[in-house]
Amino acid sequence: MTITDPETYVRGVPYDELARLRRAGPVVRVDDFWAVLGHAEVRRVLRDPGVFSSQLGGTQIRDAADLAYVRRMMLNMDPPEHGRLRGLLTKAFTPRAVAKLTSRIEAWARELVAAVAGRGECDFAQVAADLPLRTLAGVFGVPDQDRRLMYDWSNRVIGYQDAEYAVSSTVSVSEVSELARAALAVRPSPGPDGSMPDPRTRAGMPDLYAYANALGEYKREHPGDDVMSNLMQHVGDDGGRVSLAEFENLFWLFSVAGNETLRNGLPGGLFALLSHPAQYRRLLADRSLLPSAVEEMLRWWTPVVHFRRTAVSDVRLSDVDIAAGDRVVVWFSSANRDPSVFPDPDTFDIGRTPNDHLTFGHGPHFCLGAHLARVQMRAMFDAVLDELGFVELAGEPVRLRSNFQNGLKSLPIRWGG
């Protein structure tokens, strides 16, 4: 078993193997990279982009086929470019825009759960998947009927190691807006061997970029009251504005990373409760524990398994000498179970406090959507507890084949029996 083999993760995150490696040292050699497994060491790497670069080699373990392409995304930028774009985006998330989204998220979560409450069973992974899609559509001002496009795009990008997700195509031309039809016209199809173009390149996602370009132009000419309209209208202190190319890459980042992480965090959080029925009943009995329960779900499930940095110069990290150019991969799934920070780290405790998990990252790349993710988690579990009460597994969960996202493709549940 290896921690980089996507097949390993079909059975679950290899926590025992990560713990064994961590006991050998918080920084160890795995294959051709340094695996950073300790909580303190992960924080050190993430807060120092001058030594551990996102831009030099990108943020995936393996070098991207088109490094120049991935470097244009905020996720793979270093200062000062990263700070400029992040600053503009932060200003676009105005208190008014966030407050409006928050009230809508609570209503959407309630609506999604109420729609299945009378059935007595559902696939929670599919029900939950629509909440981040609706939220992202609200952020971008995407027409409601187009939101499912983001489901397919994130499947193809994040699930490229999974045969089912790599060819995801659930939206038909008849269902979408005029804006989307031109994009669907250039959606790639599987080749004779069943494979798709590499979705980690611009050429592999022509439909996403066609849509993003058209949407960016529309927002600039016809701004609404959504976050991306704010962004496209904003002029920086230096007179600079967000370019259409930057908007396209932000759209990619949000519609894929902002969607997939929470889409897996929601069923992952419920799976944590299902796996610990005493904690589930404790939460039902004391709803004031919901905020800390959400933090523990985020720690215990940890949707993003790892991220890569590249050493800019020779550096010593926890008594290990790392050479300039070396791959340095921080392992969130390990850091969030570091026993030096989390007592009984494998125990799921909805009252755990403090809970200094690193699920949203740390340092300059700390997740911009962390607040909205927490709002969505709390809203969804509020609705589940109110509408469904105590639920239980109704079948075998199906995991995503990926060494990057700790994902659930299916989580069958039942209630009221």
Side-chain angles (χ1 to χ4, degrees):
M1 179 181 67
T2 167
I3 62 172
T4 58
D5 183 355
E7 198 63 35
T8 298
Y9 293 80
V10 175
R11 297 182 293 278
V13 176
Y15 291 113
D16 290 346
E17 178 64 7
L18 289 169
R20 185 189 71 77
L21 289 169
R22 192 176 57 239
R23 284 192 293 272
V27 182
V28 298
R29 193 72 178 175
V30 174
D31 299 336
D32 57 355
F33 63 86
W34 295 104
V36 183
L37 304 165
H39 188 277
E41 290 74 20
V42 168
R43 283 172 59 101
R44 160 80 201 284
V45 170
L46 294 178
R47 71 170 174 259
D48 195 350
V51 176
F52 301 101
S53 168
S54 300
Q55 194 153 11
L56 206 55
T59 48
Q60 299 297 297
I61 291 180
R62 301 293 160 224
D63 289 339
D66 185 352
L67 194 55
Y69 158 75
V70 302
R71 281 175 173 163
R72 293 198 293 269
M73 293 186 186
M74 194 169 72
L75 191 69
N76 303 307
M77 288 179 178
D78 289 333
E81 295 87 352
H82 173 260
R84 171 192 159 268
L85 199 52
R86 186 181 174 99
L88 288 171
L89 201 48
T90 300
K91 288 187 177 73
F93 276 92
T94 61
R96 181 171 174 269
V98 171
K100 181 181 173 187
L101 276 170
T102 298
S103 60
R104 290 167 74 186
I105 286 166
E106 290 164 353
W108 288 328
R110 186 75 47 177
E111 179 186 319
L112 289 169
V113 178
V116 299
R119 294 187 205 163
E121 62 179 22
C122 74
D123 183 344
F124 186 72
Q126 293 302 314
V127 172
D130 205 33
L131 186 59
L133 293 178
R134 291 187 183 199
T135 302
L136 285 166
V139 168
F140 279 102
V142 166
D144 194 51
Q145 67 266 40
D146 292 352
R147 69 178 187 274
R148 191 81 184 173
L149 290 168
M150 293 185 282
Y151 176 85
D152 285 338
W153 292 330
S154 61
N155 277 0
R156 279 161 48 197
V157 174
I158 301 294
Y160 77 96
Q161 296 170 321
D162 185 293
E164 178 190 1
Y165 272 23
V167 296
S168 186
S169 177
T170 64
V171 181
S172 71
V173 174
S174 63
E175 298 170 329
V176 296
S177 72
E178 195 65 45
L179 199 66
R181 286 184 195 131
L184 286 181
V186 295
R187 178 172 60 189
S189 301
D193 62 351
S195 66
M196 293 279 278
D198 188 344
R200 296 163 299 164
T201 65
R202 186 182 177 95
M205 299 296 292
D207 45 338
L208 183 151
Y209 278 97
Y211 190 87
N213 186 281
L215 183 68
E217 283 192 336
Y218 184 85
K219 289 293 166 193
R220 187 153 275 171
E221 297 301 320
H222 309 91
D225 58 358
D226 53 88
V227 173
M228 286 300 147
S229 290
N230 294 343
L231 181 69
M232 295 304 279
Q233 296 304 304
H234 186 77
V235 179
D237 296 335
D238 58 356
R241 299 177 74 179
V242 171
S243 70
L244 205 50
E246 287 173 329
F247 178 86
E248 290 174 6
N249 288 329
L250 284 170
F251 184 85
W252 186 102
L253 181 65
F254 274 65
S255 59
V256 173
N259 172 20
E260 192 69 17
T261 304
L262 188 67
R263 177 175 145 198
N264 290 318
L266 287 166
L270 184 58
F271 183 73
L273 289 174
L274 294 170
S275 304
H276 302 85
Q279 292 294 308
Y280 196 154
R281 294 190 187 282
R282 181 184 173 197
L283 182 58
L284 271 169
D286 183 359
R287 298 287 287 278
S288 71
L289 287 167
L290 184 58
S292 62
V294 163
E295 297 308 309
E296 182 70 341
M297 291 170 188
L298 290 164
R299 181 196 73 87
W300 192 84
W301 183 257
T302 308
V304 177
V305 177
H306 65 255
F307 260 127
R308 168 192 169 178
R309 299 292 189 261
T310 303
V312 176
S313 54
D314 294 351
V315 62
R316 193 165 178 80
L317 182 64
S318 186
D319 299 326
V320 171
D321 289 315
I322 295 172
D326 280 1
R327 293 185 182 94
V328 179
V329 182
V330 296
W331 229 268
F332 298 112
S333 295
S334 171
N336 278 350
R337 297 202 181 196
D338 185 337
S340 70
V341 176
F342 305 100
D344 300 318
D346 296 322
T347 298
F348 178 72
D349 175 9
I350 63 168
R352 185 184 293 273
T353 183
N355 194 339
D356 189 21
H357 65 76
L358 297 173
T359 297
F360 294 119
H362 180 67
H365 280 276
F366 181 80
C367 176
L368 261 172
H371 171 71
L372 284 179
R374 287 182 165 110
V375 168
Q376 290 176 79
M377 292 278 286
R378 292 173 192 171
M380 180 59 79
F381 285 101
D382 246 338
V384 166
L385 295 168
D386 280 348
E387 300 282 343
L388 310 183
F390 190 80
V391 309
E392 57 186 6
L393 274 176
E396 196 65 31
V398 179
R399 289 178 175 268
L400 178 67
R401 185 182 185 275
S402 171
N403 63 14
F404 178 64
Q405 275 277 340
N406 182 20
L408 279 171
K409 298 199 294 184
S410 178
L411 184 65
I413 60 170
R414 59 174 171 250
W415 56 90

